[in-house]
Amino acid sequence: MQRYDRLREILRLDPDKDFLAIYRLTATYEFPWDFSRALELALFRTYAVPSIGGLLAETAEFTERTQKRYDDTALLLDAVVEHGFESDTARTAIRRVNQMHRSYDISNEDMRYVLCTFVVIPARWLDAYGWRPLTHHERRACANYYAALGRHLGITDIPGSYEEFEATLDAYEEAHFGWDEGARKVADSTLDLMASWYPAPVAPAVRRASLALLDEPLLGAFRYEAPRAPVRRLVEGALWLRGRAVRLLPPRRNPHYARQNPEIKGYPDGYDVGELGTFPVPGSGGCPVPHPRRPAGAEAQPPA
């Protein structure tokens, strides 16, 4: 197999009918590392909307159990990619996400914005740092994939194209990015988590490098000091060079899913998708939806 053979396979598929197959090929064969980093950045951006970041701070899940929340979010989202919408595993994952969301007063607009970040931020990341940019074909499939996921999550007024997702994201950030003390704590905890994945001596450098990837509106919303220009150029240049190096490597022959990422730390002995996430207590702001602790038909997963 040659470097661009899988792209040729992608381009033979229909982005309106085969969007899951295209998204799976793109995210798990062509760009698994890039998609993981870009989706981390996508979630980080959502904290800068005070109604989102403030709520996450109130739950304390992203400040006191940051690694578990990171793991659960990645694993629940990736269950759909790996197994497909019609599988028992994906249905269980979607049900878990819906149960958690319905525990809180989350607006459709905030949910739609989060969905937009999953579509737009990976494409922008790959434009800047990927071994190749996403094609229009892949962007269209990505938009269709997340539109389908959004419908399963009960989101309405979903954009109809990649371009509409992008316009919706930009407008929402311009209107809603702002300071919130709780959101800043969530952002700090997330940066601390990312730094913790590396040896202690390099952790401060990892944190500085992470901040160098944030744009001015995002830095301003969290009131982070802007990194010095040489630091930003160094980080961006290193990522660009990585992309050029990956282009020279042979293509990946096996898919790489989120459960295989070394950053997933919490389930060395495997996990049950139906046990991921939180189970708020009914009657105290908790989940109003009854649920079994181990949903029937849920597929047990191997160790991460």
Side-chain angles (χ1 to χ4, degrees), residues 137 210 217 258:
H137 199 80
S210 299

Side-chain angles (χ1 to χ4, degrees), residues 20 31 65 180 210 245 258:
L20 172 59
F31 305 106
R65 291 168 286 277
D180 182 90
S210 299

Side-chain angles (χ1 to χ4, degrees), residues 128-129 208-209 211-214 216 226-242:
Y129 311 121
R208 287 194 297 271
L211 288 172
L213 295 174
L214 308 185
E216 294 302 325
R228 293 184 295 116
V231 173
R232 190 182 291 277
R233 287 196 296 270
L234 177 63
V235 172
E236 293 176 346
L239 288 170
W240 185 88
L241 286 172
R242 177 195 173 274

Side-chain angles (χ1 to χ4, degrees), residues 5 19 26 47 55 58 65 91 106 109 112 119 137-138 142 145 148 155 161 177 201 234 245 260-261 280 283 297 300:
D5 285 353
F19 53 83
T26 301
Y47 307 160
L55 175 60
E58 289 177 14
R65 291 168 286 277
R91 290 175 176 174
I106 305 173
E109 290 74 17
R112 184 179 59 193
V119 175
H137 199 80
E138 290 168 302
C142 182
Y145 171 79
I155 301 172
S161 67
F177 266 15
L234 177 63
Q260 297 167 295
N261 288 349

Side-chain angles (χ1 to χ4, degrees), residues 66-85:
T66 315
Q67 181 70 62
K68 177 171 171 52
R69 292 286 71 75
Y70 174 89
D71 293 352
D72 291 357
T73 300
L75 295 172
L76 286 169
L77 288 173
D78 213 52
V80 185
V81 179
E82 181 170 2
H83 299 284
F85 287 102

Side-chain angles (χ1 to χ4, degrees), residues 33-43 117 121-123 125-126:
W33 186 88
D34 295 277
F35 263 73
S36 291
R37 303 292 80 76
L39 290 174
E40 288 166 3
L41 180 58
L43 285 169
T117 68
I121 302 307
W125 175 280
L126 291 167

Side-chain angles (χ1 to χ4, degrees), residues 24 44 48 60 73 93-94 98 105 108 129 151 158 200-201 227 237 241 254:
R24 186 182 286 145
F44 196 89
T73 300
I94 291 169
N98 282 331
D105 184 18
N108 183 73
Y129 311 121
R151 289 190 290 272
I158 296 172
L241 286 172
N254 298 300

